[in-house]
Amino acid sequence: MVATEDIQKTVSQEDTDVTSHNPMLYDPLQDGNVRTSKTRQYLAALVVCLGAVAAGTALAWTSPVLPQISANATAVNVAHAIANATTVNNGTTVNNATIVTDVITTQPPQVDSHFKLTVDEQSWVSSLLAIGAFLGALPTGYIADAIGRRYTALAMDVPFILAWLSISFANSAGWLYFGRFLIGISTGSFCVVAPMYISEIAETSIRGTLGTLFQLLLTMGILFVYIVGSLVSWSTLSMMCLVVPILLFVGMLMLPETPVYLLKKGRRADAALSLKWLWGKYCDSRSAIQVIQNDLDQTSADASFMDLFSNRGARKGLIISILLMFFQQFSGINAVIFYTQFIFESAGSDVPASTSSIIVGVVQVIMTLASSLLIERAGRKILLLFSSTVMTICLAILGAYFFMKDSHKDVSHIGWLPLLCMVLFIISFSVGYGPIPWLMMGELFMPDVKATAAALSVMANWLCVFVVTKCFGVMIASWGSDFTFWFFAGCMALATVYVALALVETKGKSASEIQSWLSGR
């Protein structure tokens, strides 16, 4: 018979920690009642992903707002801006892909604004977010290692709040510049810290599902702005967007730090308490803590920046993460969304640009939700292969359609074809290359290098955003629509080959198993 004191031994009694006798740390290991609860894991992931909602509202904000505060929004200005690859009007980033919607077809609410933006000022308002996101990503990794994932999320939420206050009460372009730059810093930061937090609190069985929540809530934030922005003034919309980071701040106060970070800092009892809060009081915290500790023992507690490149597993993980971010941005999402209104018109529809944007947003939300349900059944690799293959076909067909149209051939009888391709493209992007690069970014790295690696991956993502944004107009002007779509089709064909040959399935694998593959063991 097992002695009572053996049954109730806690995970930290081997330490001299004063909290070692906390009743919350007792593991019912001998009575057959060991089980985990996933409710609080979902709750914690949803709370931290309010940062994704906030980022989504920031990314889509320019779409309904700039037409309301723009001076001389004419077709000449639009054409000039596109030719010079600047986002003159509704340049917003959905899934970090720039979306340009024709201001001529958008009918925003008629609002008296205290100021009007010139074309150049509009381009700065659009681009400052990307600049801020790029600059905000790298230090976030170091901050997260220094003060923890939770406190980093709290600290990086403050610029969100200040930014929306600045924008809501702006009476000049300068205040908009300031707000958009601050929003960019927070957006880039949460692209790093949210996937990191989720990957460190989730059980292996639901790690994929929780990992897709970041992209799902990002698309929800975008859709919110598309819908509400078509109904209210830009200042009212900005005040409504302020609610999200306030809720995020309050929610993060209630969440614990991740067990991985606490154990990395030697706070074993706190790590066990965090695990009990997240996985339920009947979880086997001793075994879970030991697994995490074993992973940490394989790494250097204070890995340097160069360790990310000298260690084979970390280096290979970084290459994979950056390439997935590259393929996400060079998937052609920019080109397809740019032509959304034209494609609707080719199909014989007279749907306004604002309505077509809402339709696209709804499709993205639904299919990203579907991805979160499929990710632990189908796996990462098969969804990536499906995504890139379907996008390759759709982009090739769209290129052929525009080639025939530009060659003055009659395409009126196949006006439905580009619409079908667009819908299939958005569906395939939303289930694959939309959410999975963010998920795998949190899976591929050990705790000692995760913060730095995630920061570099996010910076690479935003660099690709800038390149695609800057080059898209030049590609359209120099190559034509057909070759532009074929270029993106080639990128997706390359993505298909790369994933098929270089990636293994990470579904259901522990961190040590993933590292064994990356290290060639």
Side-chain angles (χ1 to χ4, degrees), residues 339-349 397-398 401-402 404-405 409-423:
Y339 279 96
T340 296
Q341 179 62 17
F342 178 81
I343 289 172
F344 270 81
E345 292 173 353
S346 297
S349 171
I397 294 175
L398 284 171
Y401 175 84
F402 282 104
M404 291 188 292
K405 187 173 180 63
K409 295 181 180 179
D410 183 17
V411 292
S412 58
H413 60 291
I414 56 171
W416 54 270
L417 184 60
L419 181 60
L420 176 63
C421 287
M422 184 194 74
V423 172

Side-chain angles (χ1 to χ4, degrees), residues 63 66-67 70 73-75 78 88-90 101-108 122 353:
S63 183
L66 288 188
S70 299
T74 64
V78 174
V88 60
N89 42 36
N90 307 20
T101 309
D102 192 345
V103 297
I104 306 306
T105 55
T106 304
Q107 300 298 326
Q122 294 169 52

